[in-house]
Amino acid sequence: MPQAEPVPGGEQLALIREAVRKAKEPRAKPRTWRGAALAAQLPVARVLVDKGLIHLDQFFDYAVPEAMDEQAQPGVRVRVRFGARVVKGRREGGELHDGFIVERLPESDYRGPLAPLAQVLSPEPVLGPGLLRLCRAVADRYAGALADVVQLAVPPRRARAENGPIPQAPAPPPKPDPGSWTRYAIGPGYLDALASGASPRAVWTALPGPHWPDELARALAATLASGRGALAVLPDGRAVARVDAALTALLGDRHHVVLTADSGPEERYRRWLAVNRGAVRAVVGTRAAMFAPVADLGLVALWDDGDSSHAEPHAPQPHARDVLLLRAADEHAAFLLGGLSVTVEGAQLVDTRWASPLTASRAEVRTAAPLIRTVGDDDQARDPAARAARLPSLAWQVTRDALLRGPVLVQVPRRGYVPRLACERCREPARCTKCAGPLELTGSPQSGGTLHCAWCGRPEAAWHCRECAGNRLRAQVVGARRTADELGRAFPAVPVRTSGRDAVLARVPDQPALVISTPGAEPVADGGYAAALLLDGWALLNRPDLRAGEEALRRWLAAASLVRPATEGGTVAVLAEPGLRPVQALVRWDPVGHAVRELAERAELGFPPVSRMASVTGTAAAVTDLLENAELPDGTDRLGPVPVPAAPPGRPRRMGDPPPGEEWERVLLRVPSGSGGALAAALKAAQVARIARKQTEPVRVRVDPPDIG
């Protein structure tokens, strides 16, 4: 029989009762401070309330109790009651919200009674005047709310991180030698200007190879040598790690911090505080570091601005390039936009003479670049082994010869096994009978792979074509896993490694191996790859996007730059039509020429960046209401409306998808580049007016949307 539980003794029972009593007690709330004495000087605090609502994008005044006078300084976090009502001359009620004090005043413009601050959450000033000014500029550019931008700029508080000692900032390091910057005509001069305290602006087209992290680190070190701060923003953690290692090797680890999500919330906040307190003068980080409060900022650098990771997904969705341009102008800092490729925005900075081109001579390019060979659609494989590997003869030969000398990189545009299928007889895309989503094969049938829908996950055991009743399938697109299987069978003695979304490799050794990677996940090879294959170029070039050619070239250059120079036998084979402009730019290794021609075409058509655009998305009635009441700048072109497709059944809803059951449309507004600020202000004012008129249907406004193609 089960034994009875022991009965608690008197002392234990008392402890239990006390614990229960405490659990039932309501949580302590901040004092109301009603009737409390106010601060003798500057008794009014102007507060940015963390509401993030577009119609409440303003400051609110609160009274400062005398007990909070010392800690309630500009920049600190506070808690205030918002939405209070005036009852018999007093403000009562309202919900507690966090906020930031932006300034202290002797009196308020508001003549009614002021609610007092409820609590000073921390005496640490985290929203300084420079950071507040930057956040205001970003909010105005993107028609957003200041509170939303501040949420992006100031990380959440971690109390333990604020209690540590404040170290002294190290002395400025000596000026670094130019190193491999000597390969660029004005490279040493650019470093000299940074070290002397000047603020040069440049668009840097980096040479292929492993040297760019060290070159970027030397630019940061030269700025530190002048006694100023430096900031570098990179697209991902792997790129940050390479620059971090280069800067540590150059100066040690006391002059800079790394700001990425990988360090965890508390450690990241601790490092951010070190920058905010002036104990560290250099920051290397990912997108969120674009707001890092570096003291006496002397250089802002952005690497690979064409990478989509630089676009913030949260409102108001700013791009790191635009934020750093605002910082360079406001703080009179040097600017360095670097990359292996060049975007049309970078070409425009050079075309308008706002920045200078920082490029190498054609002789240096030929010395550093690998040999590029093209394989068109008419080049069919004749070797049986090449057919088994789904490779044309030339690509097969390049792979076979290169594996004798080192690893070979294979870039595949799509992940998965066979992510897109079609009917073998009529070529009609294979779709789910339940939700009409695309069918995919997750693995070979021998390894247990099944045919199922990519949207709803429903298996399709007995599929047949709705057009011709056929029941045999063919691959429309082959993914990275299928490519790895095929190449593994073609080269059975060579190890095959994969790098993609599920597992990204950082480095691979200098040994013969096939490295299958999706774009952006290519690992660095010790000593460089012996060769690279860029498969299915049409999948990148045929995307319905204005930037399809630019993006394809950017991804190809990123992979090809990891290959050894042609003088060491490095070869790249790209499977795409040789006559296309991005393919020719890759063959010549001429990203600047490609960007200049793209910019000229954009200017002729009136597309960004020579113009500014905004998208307005919502129901037809809501979009029409907003645009009819918006005082748009003169010369605004209205493009659309066009319907916005709903999220297919089974696929998670993404940002920009209409709610289930609603039909949305999108209108694009285009103005000259000088009218972008007026367009953003007009759209923001129209949104505020809609809310004031109790219009509840949502309308989404996005300035400079990247997906207008």
Side-chain angles (χ1 to χ4, degrees), residues 494-568:
V494 178
V496 179
R497 309 187 68 181
T498 59
S499 180
R501 188 182 70 173
D502 297 332
V504 178
L505 303 176
R507 305 190 73 90
V508 294
D510 185 12
Q511 299 173 359
L514 287 164
V515 182
I516 318 298
S517 172
T518 52
E522 300 90 352
V524 177
D526 296 335
Y529 289 99
L533 303 181
L534 310 178
L535 302 183
D536 299 336
W538 60 269
L540 293 176
L541 294 170
N542 292 347
R543 294 186 306 123
D545 193 322
L546 188 65
R547 295 182 180 269
E550 176 184 287
E551 179 66 6
L553 179 59
R554 185 187 73 83
R555 294 184 175 189
W556 289 340
L557 289 172
S561 68
L562 302 174
V563 179
R564 300 166 188 170
T567 54
E568 300 178 17

Side-chain angles (χ1 to χ4, degrees), residues 37-48 59-66 68-69 72-74 78 80 100-117:
L38 300 182
Q41 296 181 344
L42 305 179
V44 177
R46 188 150 287 171
V47 176
L48 170 66
F59 300 134
F60 296 89
D61 290 349
Y62 286 85
V64 181
E66 185 179 18
M68 298 184 189
D69 186 24
Q73 298 302 314
V78 293
V80 296
F100 300 87
I101 296 179
V102 297
E103 61 178 326
R104 292 278 298 272
L105 301 169
E107 61 181 10
S108 173
D109 298 332
Y110 178 69
R111 293 309 171 193
L114 295 180
L117 298 174

Side-chain angles (χ1 to χ4, degrees), residues 420-424 426-432 436-439 463-467 472-476:
R420 291 295 181 270
L421 293 159
C423 175
E424 186 182 58
C426 68
R427 303 298 193 261
E428 181 70 16
R431 296 196 172 275
C432 175
L439 296 183
W463 175 87
H464 65 274
C465 180
R466 296 181 179 180
E467 298 295 326
R472 296 179 64 87
L473 293 165
R474 71 185 299 271
Q476 273 188 316

Side-chain angles (χ1 to χ4, degrees), residues 435-451:
C435 73
L439 296 183
E440 68 176 2
L441 192 62
T442 55
S444 65
Q446 295 81 5
S447 63
T450 58
L451 183 67

Side-chain angles (χ1 to χ4, degrees), residues 183-184 205-213 215 238 242 303-304 339-341 365 367-372 409 411 520 522-534 552-566 568 570-573 586 589 591:
R183 301 183 298 167
Y184 305 88
T205 308
L207 287 167
H211 302 293
W212 69 263
E215 291 162 355
R238 293 186 304 144
R242 295 180 68 183
W303 177 257
D304 194 11
L340 297 161
S341 60
V365 172
T367 300
L371 173 67
I372 309 295
L409 175 65
Q411 185 192 73
E522 300 90 352
V524 177
D526 296 335
Y529 289 99
L533 303 181
L534 310 178
L553 179 59
R554 185 187 73 83
R555 294 184 175 189
W556 289 340
L557 289 172
S561 68
L562 302 174
V563 179
R564 300 166 188 170
E568 300 178 17
T571 305
V572 175
L586 175 65
W589 206 277

Side-chain angles (χ1 to χ4, degrees), residues 124 126 161-162 268-278:
E124 184 80 35
V126 293
E162 295 179 353
R268 181 175 179 272
Y269 185 53
R270 181 178 288 107
R271 296 176 184 179
W272 187 91
L273 283 177
V275 177
N276 190 54
R277 294 166 173 174

